[in-house]
Amino acid sequence: MSFRSGFISIIGRPNVGKSTLLNAVIGEKITIVSAKAQTTRNRIRGVKHLPHAQIIFVDTPGIHRRSGTLNVFMVREALSAMTDVDGVIFMVDASAPVTDDDAFILGRLKKAGPPVVLVPNKIDRVEKPALLPLIERYGALFPFREVVPVSALKGDGVEELVEVLVELLPEGPRYFPEDMTTDQPERFLAAEIVREKVFAFTHQEVPYSVAVVTESFSEDPERGLISIEAVINVERDSQKGIIIGRKGEMLKRIGTAARRELEGLLGAKVFLRLFVRVTKDWTRNVRALREFGYE
Ligand code: GDP
Ligand code: MG
């Protein structure tokens, strides 16, 4: 069986249970810490690892009406994020009526294009017979690919939902190491800074062929030391040669500059190990990953 991977965003009005679902899917509490240097619009919230697939859940800015009028800018931002995902979970509160906001978002989603799964949540709070009319009402607004009612809180339906999501994903590589399940800003920061140094010191197409991934990040608070291993993915052997440089000079230069900056930002001594890897599959998706703020 081939490996599938891709991006899924969870959208829905506040309090419908998006965060609860994500925690249920990933299987551990995801705490969102915000790092100052993190300025990306779309953040990776969690990665679900399966033997045959990897689902990357991305955050989109909220879509809502503010004081009766739509925040057009936010809507536009959120919609642009929707066009670059492999699927969307549209989550609603099954114990609440359909709102104008829902209708509006769905209207816009039609233009955006990705397959959408309707996920009525909090089914532990509704009687079964009430669920069907609600699903029908939503179904009249949008041609959902699938409907998967869940109780994110109790975990009901969550496994079925994961299976449905995998079906939406294209064949693709394992983007993230298996120990990475949560949003970890320091990891992003480390990768971002290494990439910045690649940009500063290399030329022509090389900087654009690079995707940096932090593969391990461990802290030793007693010694005030942070050990980081990052991989610089390139497209071709020739680019690998450029990044490494003569006698490894370029890689050393990138590493030293990145380490110094990271030490300042993280307030700790940093041990940074860099590897260069030629990964064709990866770089094919660099653009997509950049859009999701992961580099
Ligand atoms: P978000 O704003 O969409 O991220 O919503 P949250 O995940 O923060 O959940 C909002 C509230 O709904 C919290 O009090 C959750 O405990 C509750 N909630 C989430 N999922 C369920 C569910 O399946 N059943 C019930 N009864 N409550 C839920
Ligand atoms: Mg939330």
Side-chain angles (χ1 to χ4, degrees):
M1 201 159 91
S2 60
F3 198 83
R4 289 170 184 250
S5 58
F7 300 93
I8 300 285
S9 65
I10 307 177
I11 67 165
R13 294 185 306 120
N15 281 317
V16 294
K18 299 182 292 295
S19 302
T20 308
L21 176 76
L22 201 55
N23 287 336
V25 169
I26 308 298
E28 62 186 72
K29 184 98 185 107
I30 297 170
T31 44
I32 307 301
V33 196
S34 67
K36 259 189 241 131
Q38 189 86 23
T39 54
T40 50
R41 280 185 320 172
N42 304 302
R43 301 181 57 189
I44 291 166
R45 292 286 303 270
V47 182
K48 175 69 176 174
H49 300 274
L50 296 159
H52 57 296
Q54 190 167 78
I55 310 174
I56 302 155
F57 291 94
V58 294
D59 222 5
T60 59
I63 303 177
H64 58 76
R65 287 164 194 255
R66 205 164 50 186
S67 57
T69 48
L70 272 163
N71 184 338
V72 175
F73 176 72
M74 279 183 69
V75 170
R76 199 188 299 136
E77 293 289 287
L79 290 168
S80 79
M82 284 174 204
T83 57
D84 277 314
V85 291
D86 300 296
V88 172
I89 292 175
F90 183 69
M91 181 176 261
V92 299
D93 184 341
S95 65
V98 180
T99 67
D100 288 351
D101 281 355
D102 290 317
F104 176 84
I105 297 166
L106 290 172
R108 290 310 185 88
L109 256 178
K110 264 181 205 161
K111 292 182 192 135
V116 182
V117 179
L118 176 65
V119 178
N121 185 31
K122 311 193 185 182
I123 55 167
D124 56 289
R125 292 220 303 222
V126 297
E127 300 292 328
K128 265 228 173 84
L131 202 53
L132 206 58
L134 186 87
I135 290 170
E136 276 172 1
R137 236 164 280 142
Y138 279 105
L141 296 172
F142 191 89
F144 292 102
R145 177 70 66 93
E146 297 270 358
V147 181
V148 186
V150 303
S151 169
L153 199 62
K154 299 199 185 308
D156 296 335
V158 172
E159 265 176 54
E160 290 90 321
L161 177 60
V162 167
E163 277 167 34
V164 164
L165 295 176
V166 169
E167 292 294 313
L168 303 180
L169 305 181
E171 273 185 36
R174 199 184 292 276
Y175 289 109
F176 295 95
E178 272 171 277
D179 66 338
M180 183 183 164
T181 53
T182 64
D183 199 7
Q184 298 174 55
E186 295 91 349
R187 284 178 178 247
F188 293 104
L189 190 67
E192 184 71 3
I193 284 167
V194 171
R195 193 180 65 86
E196 190 186 291
K197 301 311 167 197
V198 173
F199 255 79
F201 303 142
T202 65
H203 307 285
Q204 281 147 11
E205 96 287 3
V206 176
Y208 301 98
S209 314
V210 158
V212 181
V213 184
T214 303
E215 295 226 317
S216 76
F217 189 106
S218 57
E219 291 183 61
D220 182 345
E222 272 172 33
R223 291 164 65 201
L225 179 73
I226 295 174
S227 301
I228 302 168
E229 288 185 354
V231 175
I232 301 173
N233 293 276
V234 293
E235 224 160 12
R236 289 191 294 274
D237 287 330
S238 61
Q239 293 161 346
K240 182 176 176 176
I242 291 167
I243 298 280
I244 292 172
R246 195 183 301 153
K247 292 183 183 165
E249 267 169 27
M250 177 57 87
L251 193 61
K252 202 169 166 187
R253 199 173 155 203
I254 291 165
T256 303
R259 177 180 56 76
R260 287 210 180 111
E261 189 160 338
L262 280 166
E263 286 182 336
L265 286 164
L266 299 169
K269 210 169 146 44
V270 168
F271 178 60
L272 176 65
R273 285 182 75 190
L274 294 178
F275 304 89
V276 186
R277 190 182 291 158
V278 180
T279 317
K280 295 208 168 60
D281 273 343
W282 178 280
T283 50
R284 218 165 19 105
N285 291 290
V286 163
R287 195 190 65 82
L289 287 158
R290 287 224 170 101
E291 271 165 30
F292 292 109
Y294 187 83
E295 293 166 283

